[in-house]
Amino acid sequence: MGMLITALLVCACAMGLVLFRKNTIPVYREGPIQQGKLSVVIPARNEEGNLPHLLSSLQAQTYTDLEIIVVDDHSEDRTREIAESYGIKVITNPELPLGWTGKNWAVWNGYLQATGDLIAFLDADVRLAPHALRSLLTAREQEGGVISVVPFHIAERFYERLALIVNVLGLFAFTSPMERTNPSKGLYGSCILATRADYEQAKGHEGVKAEVLDDLNLGARFVEAGVKVTNYIGRGMVSFRMYPGGIKSEIQGFSKGAVLSTSKLNIGTSLLVAVWLIGLIAAEAAPFVIGTSYLLPFAIGYVLYTLQIYYFVRYTGRFGIWLPIVHILSTVFFLYIMLYSLYQVVFLRQVAWKGRSIKVGGRGNP
């Protein structure tokens, strides 16, 4: 029995290597070949703590033909004042109409003000290395179509680091080789780069105006329009600190799309993620079988998963030295996120984010 348990845990752990692809952004210090104005659209709602990091990094870019637009989405803090202090264009988001979610409306209005032939949509918590935009533009030029980036997650406090497993699973979803032919292939909304022509061909955010998962559904719109979708890992180039405001915002942020996003994945990706996750939970039972004959196989599984998580963390984020060893804490946090997300989607039929209630099911929000 011990040999069988070990073999099963080894096979389950190996599914992580099948799912993960080290598709980092190539570093380009020259290019792109086709120069052009890049409009950077930043939706911002109560982002006074994040904007200085992003705007400072934009001003330090080696690609300088930029138009930066911050859309102040009815912020109640110093978001607008901070954005204006950088000498960039700041617009006030019009009142949210029926049938739109807040972020989609803000991004769309930023796009309507943009004049570049290339458009980047960045969340306010993103931070860029100096060669990031040049590298992204060149990568997009070589790949064609639209690209997005899963940023490297800077987790500074303990509660932020609890998102370790959530982030690893998210990385699987965006790097799985089985997603290449998925007609619902999504984009990662924190960092998206497209040509104006491709964005308009896909109907942009207006085409997904009522969707909670704007980025995943936008990616599917691009695919439907015949535009190639490519996702990169941001390590060394694009990073973010997602939820510095506390664990409540972290739970709300992750849970608003946790359950809904699973329906967008290729069935093969979903099955392999499930196998990997079941193996992880089983291996984490090792401390509970101390003193029994099952300890050795479960301990072997725990060690293998721990080593693999350390490898994935190199490309996922900064989660500290010790949390990957006690990853059971992060697994419990992930399970709580999924249950809370299920409760919101099935019973409440709405999710909460930044003081707004967003209805689930494509009917917009109040």
Side-chain angles (χ1 to χ4, degrees):
M1 180 61 74
M3 290 291 291
L4 177 60
I5 293 173
T6 302
L8 290 173
L9 290 176
V10 169
C11 289
C13 185
M15 295 304 100
L17 299 178
V18 175
L19 289 162
F20 176 71
R21 290 295 180 272
K22 192 174 63 176
N23 192 28
T24 54
I25 307 165
V27 179
Y28 297 100
R29 300 183 184 277
E30 302 292 335
I33 296 173
Q34 297 179 353
Q35 302 286 324
K37 179 189 284 188
L38 171 65
S39 294
V40 179
V41 176
I42 306 166
R45 179 173 170 85
N46 298 331
E47 295 287 0
E48 66 177 9
N50 285 319
L51 273 179
H53 298 287
L54 173 56
L55 297 180
S56 295
S57 69
L58 283 170
Q59 290 185 341
Q61 291 300 299
T62 58
Y63 190 87
T64 57
D65 193 2
L66 300 178
E67 172 188 54
I68 304 171
I69 301 170
V70 170
V71 184
D72 178 19
D73 189 12
H74 305 283
S75 298
E76 299 170 341
D77 61 5
R78 298 175 60 247
T79 291
R80 185 182 191 92
E81 179 182 340
I82 289 173
E84 289 176 338
S85 71
Y86 282 82
I88 61 176
K89 186 174 185 178
V90 182
I91 66 172
T92 299
N93 202 29
E95 288 297 323
L96 183 64
L98 186 65
W100 285 80
T101 64
K103 180 181 177 181
N104 287 335
W105 180 238
V107 170
W108 180 250
N109 282 290
Y111 152 73
L112 293 177
Q113 297 290 324
T115 60
D117 292 325
L118 295 155
I119 303 177
F121 302 104
L122 299 179
D123 281 357
D125 55 8
V126 166
R127 307 171 188 185
L128 303 171
H131 292 288
L133 288 182
R134 184 177 297 279
S135 297
L136 286 171
L137 288 165
T138 307
R140 196 222 63 82
E141 188 175 79
Q142 294 187 356
E143 287 289 337
V146 57
I147 67 173
S148 77
V149 181
V150 183
F152 190 80
H153 189 179
I154 307 299
E156 296 186 5
R157 299 179 182 176
F158 174 73
Y159 76 85
E160 296 174 76
R161 294 172 181 174
L162 288 175
L164 167 63
I165 296 301
V166 177
N167 278 260
V168 169
L169 294 175
L171 210 60
F172 288 166
F174 283 94
T175 65
S176 168
M178 285 162 285
E179 294 303 307
R180 292 172 185 167
T181 57
N182 184 355
S184 298
K185 183 177 182 179
L187 292 162
Y188 200 90
S190 293
C191 180
I192 296 174
L193 174 62
T195 65
R196 175 182 290 273
D198 285 344
Y199 181 74
E200 292 176 349
Q201 185 174 343
K203 309 300 183 185
H205 284 79
E206 185 180 34
V208 295
K209 61 184 181 182
E211 300 290 350
V212 177
L213 302 177
D214 54 288
D215 47 0
L216 298 184
N217 287 286
L218 182 61
R221 288 278 183 163
F222 274 105
V223 173
E224 185 180 342
V227 178
K228 182 181 179 182
V229 172
T230 304
N231 294 312
Y232 289 97
I233 298 171
R235 179 195 178 193
M237 198 70 67
V238 180
S239 62
F240 60 9
R241 185 181 177 196
M242 295 185 76
Y243 304 113
I247 193 169
K248 180 179 179 181
S249 64
E250 182 178 38
I251 291 172
Q252 286 185 341
F254 283 122
S255 65
K256 65 184 171 71
V259 168
L260 294 173
S261 62
T262 59
S263 65
K264 302 295 181 181
L265 296 176
N266 176 282
I267 185 64
T269 299
S270 297
L271 288 174
L272 292 189
V273 167
V275 170
W276 186 87
L277 188 58
I278 290 170
L280 174 68
I281 295 171
E284 288 170 344
F288 302 100
V289 296
I290 293 175
T292 73
S293 59
Y294 295 108
L295 175 60
L296 181 60
F298 281 103
I300 291 173
Y302 195 97
V303 170
L304 288 176
Y305 268 98
T306 300
L307 292 174
Q308 189 182 69
I309 288 171
Y310 268 114
Y311 170 68
F312 291 150
V313 162
R314 294 175 58 195
Y315 301 94
T316 308
R318 187 191 304 160
F319 294 95
I321 297 174
W322 297 107
L323 193 63
I325 297 176
V326 288
H327 46 75
I328 186 173
L329 299 177
S330 184
T331 301
V332 170
F333 180 75
F334 162 75
L335 294 175
Y336 174 78
I337 290 292
M338 292 301 293
L339 289 173
Y340 182 58
S341 180
L342 187 65
Y343 169 71
Q344 290 184 96
V345 170
V346 175
F347 295 101
L348 299 182
R349 299 299 297 166
Q350 65 182 23
V351 297
W353 181 235
K354 290 197 173 183
R356 286 173 171 153
S357 295
I358 307 172
K359 292 182 180 178
V360 175
R363 296 184 178 86
N365 67 296

